[in-house]
Amino acid sequence: MKRFFNTRETVVTDSLDGLLRSSMGRHLCRLDGYPEIKVVLRRERDPSRVAVVSGGGCGHEPAHAGFVGEGMLDAAVCGSIFASPGVDAILAGILAVTGEAGCLLVIKSYTGDRLNFALAAEQARGMGLAVETVVVGDDTALPDARYPRGLAGTVLVQKVAGHAARSGASLAEVARQARDAAKQLASIGLSLTDCCAYDPHGTTRLADDEGELGLGIHGEPGARRINVAGADVLMQQAADTLETALPLSGGARYALLLNMLGAVPPIEQTLLLESFSRTTLAQKVDLVIGPAPMMTALDMNGFSLTLLALTNELRVALESPVEPRAWPGTACFAEPDVRPLPAMPETFPYPPSSQPQLEALIRVGAETLIANADSLNKLDAQIGDGDAGSTFAEAAREILAALPRLPLAVPKELCTTLGAVLARHAGGSSGVLLSIMLSAAGRSDKPWGQALVEGLDAMRRHGGANPGDRTMVDALVPALDAFAKGGSLGDAAGAARKGADATRSMGEARAGRASYVPGERLADVPDPGAEAIARMLEAMARSISQI
């Protein structure tokens, strides 16, 4: 396990002070009680309003300190990693923000939190303060549990309570709204990994092909193990489990919180929301919050779904703007807004024409690139990001698909069309560069071979690569020079092979991703782009006698 921290003992205090220094913490301060008392407060608040206080163990960021601010929490009381804060820390937080209007404590349903917050509340009442509590237990994974766990639904209760307090409601009213919200919550978690709480020797309990459904936020085991599958399948399992556990009427409309547990990258976060849209449960959802990390579990690679049955009161509370930037806001859960595609250049502006020999050569070249995808990827993995072969294969498949529509008998039109096909469909820089070369060749008035050289010059100007820079240019330049001078396809293939082999001894790459790789890692590894060009031309040359 690799993490950024100094010592386990200072993880929380270092993180909280970093939050206070950050652009997200400009409105925050803390009590001077380190290391035992770790309480984050609003710098400014209206003392006539009910105070809303929450907290718990750290490791769930942005909960809870990240939700301190106008419209949500007035104070967050922070414990150590996955450990409830002590009674003194909770009492200090209450005393720091509570005035005559009183205070509501929003408590996650874990034994330590329930006991410590309850005792601190009793002590505060003994000092003459009005204190109410609401315990959130939204987990539906264990239906027979006496005390269901508090999961990401806690943040929604904090939002509802914060809105009521900002609106000037009494303590009794703030507590009522928070409790009503807590009763209407249901959550389920799913993860592909567990987490290690800063244990350098920590090991996972899950095999590579296993995940867990119905887990908590402290690395505790889930209700059951599941097989790793596609996102749609996993999301359906989570949604089905949640839907069967809903104690609410079938006609209820819901707000969905899609919460990330810590290690899901942004591209997969929004992908998971799209997967949820394909479930039957999605038909009951009116509002969506997220996807966003709200109640995380360190580096757990998973998500949780929380549903809140909507009333007009709860809808207004959820949609009201707040100060904390960790709150992502709400949106109507609807189909994506799709606009008409603007008129695009025609990919096939010329009528197709026949040239059997050329068609056969193109087919051989494309099939060679597809067949060599894996080996080229392995080469690229040594000096780049490992996708060169896939990129060339993708371009080759597009050209094969376009073969029936190509103007094969007219070289200028063929180059223009191939350039358009690659521009429209091919990925990666190599596809774009080859598109530039072919498009420029199609605009040239010179004979076929010389036109390709002109196209190559255009590609070099835009791409910035020259012979000796360790790119596919090292194979293309000698190959097209040989072809332009009247050489055969075999001559061009031989020149490309020499150029590609020469890249093995080039100790420095001056273009492309390999330019960021130390020279010693380049030794005796040919450039994948140059190698792709050489292999393609060699296969085409071998096939000439068979055409």
PDB file of all heavy atoms in Angstrom, residues 428-442:
ATOM      1  N   GLY A 428      -6.204   8.600 -31.672  1.00  0.00           N
ATOM      2  CA  GLY A 428      -4.777   8.742 -31.438  1.00  0.00           C
ATOM      3  C   GLY A 428      -4.115   9.691 -32.411  1.00  0.00           C
ATOM      4  O   GLY A 428      -4.656  10.041 -33.460  1.00  0.00           O
ATOM      5  N   SER A 429      -2.921  10.098 -32.053  1.00  0.00           N
ATOM      6  CA  SER A 429      -2.195  11.059 -32.887  1.00  0.00           C
ATOM      7  C   SER A 429      -1.795  10.452 -34.224  1.00  0.00           C
ATOM      8  O   SER A 429      -1.749  11.155 -35.243  1.00  0.00           O
ATOM      9  CB  SER A 429      -0.957  11.566 -32.140  1.00  0.00           C
ATOM     10  OG  SER A 429      -0.117  10.489 -31.769  1.00  0.00           O
ATOM     11  N   SER A 430      -1.512   9.152 -34.258  1.00  0.00           N
ATOM     12  CA  SER A 430      -1.083   8.544 -35.521  1.00  0.00           C
ATOM     13  C   SER A 430      -2.191   8.617 -36.565  1.00  0.00           C
ATOM     14  O   SER A 430      -1.936   8.884 -37.742  1.00  0.00           O
ATOM     15  CB  SER A 430      -0.654   7.092 -35.297  1.00  0.00           C
ATOM     16  OG  SER A 430      -1.711   6.337 -34.729  1.00  0.00           O
ATOM     17  N   GLY A 431      -3.442   8.373 -36.168  1.00  0.00           N
ATOM     18  CA  GLY A 431      -4.555   8.472 -37.106  1.00  0.00           C
ATOM     19  C   GLY A 431      -4.724   9.874 -37.649  1.00  0.00           C
ATOM     20  O   GLY A 431      -4.960  10.075 -38.848  1.00  0.00           O
ATOM     21  N   VAL A 432      -4.581  10.877 -36.777  1.00  0.00           N
ATOM     22  CA  VAL A 432      -4.702  12.275 -37.206  1.00  0.00           C
ATOM     23  C   VAL A 432      -3.570  12.636 -38.158  1.00  0.00           C
ATOM     24  O   VAL A 432      -3.784  13.287 -39.194  1.00  0.00           O
ATOM     25  CB  VAL A 432      -4.704  13.208 -35.983  1.00  0.00           C
ATOM     26  CG1 VAL A 432      -4.699  14.668 -36.421  1.00  0.00           C
ATOM     27  CG2 VAL A 432      -5.919  12.932 -35.114  1.00  0.00           C
ATOM     28  N   LEU A 433      -2.360  12.215 -37.821  1.00  0.00           N
ATOM     29  CA  LEU A 433      -1.211  12.560 -38.661  1.00  0.00           C
ATOM     30  C   LEU A 433      -1.320  11.922 -40.047  1.00  0.00           C
ATOM     31  O   LEU A 433      -1.025  12.562 -41.066  1.00  0.00           O
ATOM     32  CB  LEU A 433       0.082  12.130 -37.973  1.00  0.00           C
ATOM     33  CG  LEU A 433       0.449  12.940 -36.718  1.00  0.00           C
ATOM     34  CD1 LEU A 433       1.581  12.269 -35.959  1.00  0.00           C
ATOM     35  CD2 LEU A 433       0.847  14.366 -37.105  1.00  0.00           C
ATOM     36  N   LEU A 434      -1.735  10.684 -40.091  1.00  0.00           N
ATOM     37  CA  LEU A 434      -1.905  10.036 -41.397  1.00  0.00           C
ATOM     38  C   LEU A 434      -3.033  10.684 -42.184  1.00  0.00           C
ATOM     39  O   LEU A 434      -2.977  10.786 -43.418  1.00  0.00           O
ATOM     40  CB  LEU A 434      -2.178   8.546 -41.206  1.00  0.00           C
ATOM     41  CG  LEU A 434      -0.978   7.722 -40.708  1.00  0.00           C
ATOM     42  CD1 LEU A 434      -1.403   6.307 -40.353  1.00  0.00           C
ATOM     43  CD2 LEU A 434       0.144   7.695 -41.751  1.00  0.00           C
ATOM     44  N   SER A 435      -4.077  11.153 -41.475  1.00  0.00           N
ATOM     45  CA  SER A 435      -5.153  11.879 -42.146  1.00  0.00           C
ATOM     46  C   SER A 435      -4.633  13.161 -42.775  1.00  0.00           C
ATOM     47  O   SER A 435      -4.991  13.513 -43.904  1.00  0.00           O
ATOM     48  CB  SER A 435      -6.271  12.194 -41.150  1.00  0.00           C
ATOM     49  OG  SER A 435      -7.248  13.029 -41.739  1.00  0.00           O
ATOM     50  N   ILE A 436      -3.774  13.882 -42.041  1.00  0.00           N
ATOM     51  CA  ILE A 436      -3.177  15.113 -42.589  1.00  0.00           C
ATOM     52  C   ILE A 436      -2.371  14.788 -43.839  1.00  0.00           C
ATOM     53  O   ILE A 436      -2.461  15.485 -44.863  1.00  0.00           O
ATOM     54  CB  ILE A 436      -2.289  15.789 -41.522  1.00  0.00           C
ATOM     55  CG1 ILE A 436      -3.165  16.352 -40.392  1.00  0.00           C
ATOM     56  CG2 ILE A 436      -1.434  16.898 -42.148  1.00  0.00           C
ATOM     57  CD1 ILE A 436      -2.373  16.861 -39.205  1.00  0.00           C
ATOM     58  N   MET A 437      -1.571  13.728 -43.781  1.00  0.00           N
ATOM     59  CA  MET A 437      -0.731  13.357 -44.921  1.00  0.00           C
ATOM     60  C   MET A 437      -1.577  13.038 -46.152  1.00  0.00           C
ATOM     61  O   MET A 437      -1.338  13.548 -47.256  1.00  0.00           O
ATOM     62  CB  MET A 437       0.134  12.151 -44.553  1.00  0.00           C
ATOM     63  CG  MET A 437       1.098  11.731 -45.665  1.00  0.00           C
ATOM     64  SD  MET A 437       2.033  10.230 -45.285  1.00  0.00           S
ATOM     65  CE  MET A 437       0.806   8.988 -45.703  1.00  0.00           C
ATOM     66  N   LEU A 438      -2.597  12.220 -45.970  1.00  0.00           N
ATOM     67  CA  LEU A 438      -3.410  11.808 -47.115  1.00  0.00           C
ATOM     68  C   LEU A 438      -4.263  12.960 -47.641  1.00  0.00           C
ATOM     69  O   LEU A 438      -4.442  13.110 -48.860  1.00  0.00           O
ATOM     70  CB  LEU A 438      -4.296  10.643 -46.713  1.00  0.00           C
ATOM     71  CG  LEU A 438      -3.537   9.320 -46.449  1.00  0.00           C
ATOM     72  CD1 LEU A 438      -4.415   8.316 -45.724  1.00  0.00           C
ATOM     73  CD2 LEU A 438      -3.019   8.732 -47.756  1.00  0.00           C
ATOM     74  N   SER A 439      -4.794  13.788 -46.743  1.00  0.00           N
ATOM     75  CA  SER A 439      -5.589  14.933 -47.186  1.00  0.00           C
ATOM     76  C   SER A 439      -4.751  15.901 -47.999  1.00  0.00           C
ATOM     77  O   SER A 439      -5.189  16.419 -49.043  1.00  0.00           O
ATOM     78  CB  SER A 439      -6.214  15.644 -45.971  1.00  0.00           C
ATOM     79  OG  SER A 439      -7.079  14.784 -45.268  1.00  0.00           O
ATOM     80  N   ALA A 440      -3.525  16.170 -47.521  1.00  0.00           N
ATOM     81  CA  ALA A 440      -2.631  17.070 -48.252  1.00  0.00           C
ATOM     82  C   ALA A 440      -2.229  16.464 -49.593  1.00  0.00           C
ATOM     83  O   ALA A 440      -2.142  17.168 -50.618  1.00  0.00           O
ATOM     84  CB  ALA A 440      -1.402  17.390 -47.414  1.00  0.00           C
ATOM     85  N   ALA A 441      -2.001  15.155 -49.620  1.00  0.00           N
ATOM     86  CA  ALA A 441      -1.661  14.493 -50.882  1.00  0.00           C
ATOM     87  C   ALA A 441      -2.816  14.604 -51.870  1.00  0.00           C
ATOM     88  O   ALA A 441      -2.607  14.767 -53.085  1.00  0.00           O
ATOM     89  CB  ALA A 441      -1.314  13.031 -50.629  1.00  0.00           C
ATOM     90  N   GLY A 442      -4.040  14.526 -51.364  1.00  0.00           N
ATOM     91  CA  GLY A 442      -5.202  14.632 -52.233  1.00  0.00           C
ATOM     92  C   GLY A 442      -5.354  16.011 -52.854  1.00  0.00           C
ATOM     93  O   GLY A 442      -5.998  16.150 -53.913  1.00  0.00           O
TER      94      GLY A 442
END
